Amino acid sequence: MHTRVDPAEPAFQAIISAMTFSLGVCCDEQEIHHLAFLPPTDEVAPQNALAAEAARQLCAYLADAEFLFVLPLRPAGTPFQRRVWQQIAAIPTHHTRSYGEIAQALHNAPRAVGQACAANPYPVVVPCHRVLAAGGGLGGFARQTDGFLLNVKRWLLAHEGC
């Protein structure tokens, strides 16, 4: 769920700023519901303890790409999407995989993997930016092949030294 959302939307319990984008955190007291990339916008102070912890961890990652997230994520997606997200979560920092490599591991098609990546509700935490097109091309990001979100993908990959 990488879609841009109106940053004034009350669904965000926190918004943090990065270099060229912001991250919205939607959660309750128990689980993260989704994270969203936003155009650069004003930060919103965390509105509950989990939002504060998510903001702390996201800021730690933005300062150090080696940071490992430990956040309670609300179960989401289809069984296939969850299998793709598990494969993505296993990609180490500073490494990438192709849609085809993940598809082969799951005995499925690269396009289906790409669609599951685009549906990822936890970008950065489940690092779908580490999934590239065949031959190392960027591919898409959140159903986009250019513009704001692809620039976010470039930034994340550079931040991780990929």
Side-chain angles (χ1 to χ4, degrees):
M1 190 172 297
H2 303 298
T3 57
R4 286 196 266 177
V5 181
D6 179 359
E9 179 183 321
F12 292 115
Q13 282 65 56
I15 296 177
I16 64 158
S17 294
M19 296 297 275
T20 61
F21 58 93
S22 294
L23 281 161
V25 177
C26 180
C27 66
D28 58 28
E29 295 282 347
Q30 307 300 315
E31 299 171 314
I32 303 294
H33 299 185
H34 72 269
L35 303 172
F37 290 113
L38 307 169
T41 190
D42 294 334
E43 291 195 348
V44 171
Q47 298 178 20
N48 63 42
L50 182 54
E53 180 58 18
R56 184 194 71 76
Q57 290 190 33
L58 288 165
C59 287
Y61 165 80
L62 293 169
D64 177 5
E66 302 275 337
F67 182 82
L68 297 176
F69 292 96
V70 181
L71 291 169
L73 305 177
R74 173 182 272 179
T78 66
F80 174 73
Q81 288 171 332
R82 289 192 298 271
R83 289 190 356 252
V84 170
W85 300 336
Q86 287 171 341
Q87 290 282 317
I88 293 168
I91 302 170
T93 305
H94 310 299
H95 292 83
T96 61
R97 298 284 183 271
S98 72
Y99 296 101
E101 289 171 320
I102 293 172
Q104 186 175 27
L106 296 173
H107 307 290
N108 213 298
R111 182 175 296 257
V113 169
Q115 291 170 344
C117 286
N120 174 11
Y122 312 111
V124 180
V125 175
V126 176
C128 51
H129 59 276
R130 295 180 190 157
V131 182
L132 303 176
L138 272 181
F141 196 49
R143 296 180 181 94
Q144 291 191 6
T145 56
D146 62 9
F148 168 73
L149 290 176
L150 206 58
N151 288 334
V152 170
K153 183 174 184 171
R154 283 185 188 96
W155 188 92
L156 292 168
L157 290 168
H159 176 60
E160 294 186 2
C162 294

